[in-house]
Amino acid sequence: MLTINVAVLLAVVIVLRLRRRTQARSRLDEKLTVIVVLVFGVLIAPTSFGQGVLNIVGQLTRSVTQSGSP
């Protein structure tokens, strides 16, 4: 039996949707892409990969804010 991880499936859908030209997208198409990306974020957040991404982004933001302050 083949099982498909929903997060992996959504990642493939996101990549395919973002490969399209910007001019070819309607407002509804853009809204659907945003919803798919939000669902992907919710699904991946509790995983170890999601926590790693959160740590990396947190470190980057801290370094940017520290370099900007005198």
Side-chain angles (χ1 to χ4, degrees):
M1 177 188 242
L2 178 67
T3 59
I4 298 175
N5 189 343
V6 176
V8 173
L9 181 63
L10 280 177
V12 170
V13 169
I14 291 167
V15 168
L16 292 176
R17 291 183 68 80
L18 292 178
R19 289 184 62 196
R20 292 179 53 198
R21 292 184 317 155
T22 304
Q23 295 84 5
R25 296 184 194 151
S26 66
R27 286 187 183 262
L28 181 63
D29 193 33
E30 290 177 352
K31 288 179 184 178
L32 184 61
T33 302
V34 168
I35 291 170
V36 169
V37 169
L38 286 174
V39 170
F40 177 72
V42 168
L43 287 175
I44 203 167
T47 64
S48 59
F49 176 74
Q51 294 300 313
V53 170
L54 178 65
N55 289 336
I56 291 171
V57 170
Q59 290 174 358
L60 286 173
T61 55
R62 279 192 294 276
S63 66
V64 168
T65 56
Q66 289 174 355
S67 66
S69 62

